[in-house]
Every structure is written in structure tokens, then in C-alpha cells.
């Protein structure tokens, strides 16, 4: 590796500020996002406890345990298998994220038995908890295999939205009134629309808190304020961000993320709708990759032909 190549690689592996290591979306997790996952998973465990208790009897619970082992084994085997194939190591992370999440569509589509559906829900919830404990920012269904295989492959998750927003707030140096206001509004909206609906699905919590804490969807429009603030920061520093990789341009990424979250949070479709977006984008990227593959091969053949002729 030449000195210029080393310098380029080092620059890519750093954030926009000297001395900060590069945060990789889909692999790394900050402190706040880690605890966000853990607390969300604990709430989900409470919700699942009451749902499974009503839906399954003793034999159903036994079948759910069997399905859980099967699901965990299949995911671990698939991730282990593709991890050993050199050709798949450079694949765009959107593609495996979509493919790994697709089996979870069996639940909302009503395909399969009730024990299998509950096993998928338990498996995903444990994955969210593991992502928080392991500080792994990848897809929840891959968390247990990553733990067993001791890997940290880059895969995209709905909770990456929290990762992006946390990094944007954490790396902003001008922490004045606008920073505090944007942070307070973001925390309020995210907790209200990401946690409250799930919390109220737990009967004791619903009896204690009541439906009064479930606010109308239009309160999610408060995210316009932090989104606009991040957009202004991105516009002011466009010269500074121009030389930074796209996935490290935190103000712009945070503005886009908050705008994307507003309608989904307002309809209380998070994180489910974000899993759907990951699958859709991954399938589109996969199709584009397949369409472009023959052209890449022909281009490579065309480049090699003159070299062979010159050597002869």
C-alpha cells in the first residue's frame, strides 16, 4: 500500500472532526441508542408476556420454543454460510438486510401457526435487546447469530434512525438554546410515538397510565423544528461536508431521517414501517445489482482484451 493510499484509507475511516473514529451506521451504536434499544426491548417483553399468555396454552408454548430454536438455527446457519463465501463479502448491506428480514413477513401475512408467529416475535425482541447490550447496530434478527459467530457485519435496522440522530446531536459543537430545544422536542416525540403505544399494550401499564398519554398524531409535526435546524446546519457547512463520506454527514442525515420519521411516528407505525422500507430498498438495490452485473462483466472483458493483445 502506497503512502497516498494509506492516507486516503485513514481519512475515510475518520469522522469529520480529527480525533473522532468513524461511526458506521448499521454496525456501531452510541450510548443513548444502546439504552433506547434495551428499554424498548424490555417494554416489548412485557407486551409479549401478556399476549403469549392469552394466545397459547402449554402445548402451544412448547411448540413456540421449538420454533424459536429452529428460527435461531436457520438464521445462524445462513449467516455463517454466506460469511464464508468470499463473493458475498462485498455485497451492498441493503441486500442481506432485506433478505434476512423477509421471513418475518410471515407474521403480518398470517402465514404459519400461532406458535411460529409468537416465536418470531420473541426472536426479534431478544434481538433488539442483544443489539443494545452488545452495542451492535445491525439488524435485530442477526444479533443472536452475530453473538454466536463473534461477528459484527454491517446490516441496516429501524433503530439506525436513533443512531443517526444521536450522532448528529453528539457531534454538534454549538450547544446553545437551539440545540437544547431541538433535542427536547426530538426526545419527546420519539418516546411518545415509539414507546407509548407499546407500553399501553401491557394491561397493568394501561390501567396505571390510562389512554390520556396517547397523543394525537399531529404532535409528531414537532419534529419539523429539529429537522429544519439540522438542515440549516448542513447548508451552512456544505463546504466542510463536501469532502466527508455521505454516511458521515450527520446534520443532513439527521434532517432527512426526522422528516422521514414524521408520518410514520404520527401513525404509530414505527418500527414496523421502517422494516418495510429496509426490505423495499434492499430488494430494489438487489434488482439493480443483478441488472448491472452483465454490463460489469462485459466491461471487465473489454478492459482485459487490450492487455492480452499488448502482451502478445
Amino acid at each position: 500500500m502506497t503512502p497516498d493510499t494509506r492516507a486516503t484509507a485513514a481519512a475515510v475511516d475518520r469522522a469529520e472532526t480529527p480525533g473522532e473514529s468513524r461511526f458506521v451506521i448499521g454496525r456501531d451504536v452510541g450510548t443513548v441508542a444502546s439504552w433506547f434499544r434495551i428499554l424498548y426491548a424490555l417494554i416489548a417483553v412485557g407486551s409479549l408476556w401478556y399476549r403469549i399468555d392469552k394466545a397459547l396454552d402449554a402445548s402451544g408454548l412448547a411448540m413456540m420454543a421449538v420454533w424459536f430454536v429452529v428460527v435461531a438455527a436457520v438464521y445462524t446457519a445462513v449467516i455463517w454460510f454466506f460469511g464464508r463465501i468470499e463473493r458475498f463479502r462485498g455485497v451492498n448491506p441493503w441486500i442481506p438486510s432485506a433478505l434476512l428480514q423477509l421471513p418475518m413477513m410471515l407474521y403480518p401475512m398470517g402465514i404459519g401457526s400461532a406458535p411460529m408467529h409468537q416465536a418470531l416475535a420473541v426472536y426479534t425482541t431478544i434481538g433488539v435487546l442483544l443489539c443494545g447490550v452488545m452495542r451492535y447496530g445491525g439488524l435485530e434478527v442477526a444479533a443472536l447469530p452475530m453473538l454466536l459467530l463473534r461477528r459484527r457485519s454491517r446490516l441496516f435496522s429501524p433503530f439506525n434512525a436513533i443512531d443517526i440522530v444521536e450522532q448528529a446531536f453528539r457531534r454538534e459543537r454549538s450547544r446553545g438554546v437551539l440545540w437544547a430545544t431541538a433535542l427536547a422536542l426530538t426526545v419527546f416525540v420519539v418516546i411518545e410515538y415509539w414507546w407509548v403505544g407499546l407500553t399501553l399494550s401491557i394491561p397493568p401499564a394501561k390501567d396505571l397510565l390510562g389512554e390520556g398519554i396517547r397523543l394525537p398524531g399531529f404532535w409528531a409535526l414537532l419534529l419539523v423544528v429539529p429537522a429544519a435546524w439540522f438542515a440549516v446546519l448542513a447548508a451552512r457547512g456544505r463546504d466542510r461536508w463536501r469532502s466527508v463520506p455521505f454516511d458521515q454527514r450527520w446534520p443532513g442525515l439527521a434532517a432527512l431521517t426526522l422528516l422521514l420519521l414524521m408520518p410514520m411516528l404520527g401513525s404509530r407505525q414505527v418500527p414496523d414501517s421502517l422494516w418495510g422500507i429496509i426490505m423495499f430498498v434492499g430488494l430494489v438495490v438487489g434488482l439493480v445489482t443483478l441488472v448491472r452485473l452483465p454490463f460489469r462483466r462485459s466491461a471487465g472483458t473489454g478492459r482485459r482484451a487490450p492487455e492480452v493483445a499488448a502482451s502478445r
Side-chain angles (χ1 to χ4, degrees):
M1 183 181 288
T2 64
D4 292 339
T5 307
R6 291 195 192 96
T8 303
V12 169
D13 201 38
R14 291 194 186 97
E16 70 282 358
T17 306
E20 291 182 344
S21 60
R22 182 175 182 241
F23 183 96
V24 179
I25 302 170
R27 188 193 69 189
D28 301 330
V29 174
T31 303
V32 174
S34 174
W35 280 106
F36 186 91
R37 287 170 167 86
I38 292 172
L39 294 176
Y40 178 86
L42 293 177
I43 297 172
V45 167
S47 177
L48 280 173
W49 178 275
Y50 285 93
R51 192 173 73 191
I52 293 173
D53 183 58
K54 290 182 179 180
L56 302 177
D57 54 14
S59 61
L61 288 173
M63 284 304 301
M64 185 192 75
V66 172
W67 273 113
F68 179 88
V69 173
V70 170
V71 170
V74 169
Y75 269 110
T76 303
V78 168
I79 291 175
W80 173 83
F81 176 75
F82 284 104
R84 293 181 61 86
I85 300 177
E86 187 70 29
R87 183 179 300 176
F88 291 100
R89 293 182 183 177
V91 172
N92 190 303
W94 284 106
I95 299 175
S97 300
L99 294 178
L100 290 173
Q101 189 60 36
L102 272 177
M104 293 297 160
M105 290 299 294
L106 296 174
Y107 186 6
M109 293 175 65
I111 300 174
S113 62
M116 186 187 75
H117 294 165
Q118 301 303 331
L120 292 173
V122 171
Y123 181 78
T124 303
T125 301
I126 291 177
V128 177
L129 181 62
L130 286 176
C131 284
V133 174
M134 296 163 51
R135 301 191 70 162
Y136 170 59
L139 194 62
E140 293 72 30
V141 296
L144 182 57
M146 294 297 170
L147 176 64
L148 297 176
L149 299 174
R150 298 182 180 181
R151 295 180 186 171
R152 296 182 70 87
S153 301
R154 188 184 187 190
L155 297 167
F156 295 124
S157 156
F159 292 87
N160 293 152
I162 306 300
D163 298 327
I164 291 171
V165 174
E166 179 191 356
Q167 293 304 310
F169 276 112
R170 184 182 297 277
R171 294 168 187 257
E172 176 54 39
R173 302 307 184 197
S174 57
R175 299 188 177 183
V177 175
L178 290 177
W179 182 88
T181 303
L183 178 61
L185 291 175
T186 302
V187 170
F188 168 74
V189 172
V190 169
I191 289 179
E192 167 63 32
Y193 294 100
W194 204 308
W195 283 3
V196 167
L198 184 63
T199 302
L200 292 180
S201 67
I202 304 173
K206 185 177 181 179
D207 296 338
L208 177 64
L209 301 174
E211 286 285 343
I213 65 171
R214 194 195 299 268
L215 297 179
F218 64 80
W219 284 99
L221 293 174
L222 289 173
L223 287 182
V224 169
V225 176
W229 181 66
F230 279 125
V232 170
L233 290 177
R236 286 179 179 175
R238 59 182 178 273
D239 294 334
R240 170 193 176 193
W241 298 106
R242 194 171 297 167
S243 59
V244 176
F246 177 78
D247 63 351
Q248 300 294 299
R249 302 177 186 179
W250 300 111
L253 287 174
L256 291 174
T257 300
L258 292 174
L259 289 174
L260 177 66
L261 282 177
M262 265 191 292
M264 290 181 284
L265 288 171
S267 59
R268 298 187 185 274
Q269 295 298 316
V270 176
D272 296 348
S273 53
L274 289 173
W275 274 315
I277 290 176
I278 289 171
M279 286 185 284
F280 175 76
V281 174
L283 293 176
V284 170
V285 172
L287 289 174
V288 171
T289 303
L290 287 175
V291 170
R292 294 176 60 185
L293 190 59
F295 297 98
R296 289 182 178 178
R297 288 178 177 174
S298 61
T301 304
R303 283 194 300 268
R304 286 194 297 268
E307 295 174 2
V308 174
S311 64
R312 290 178 180 174

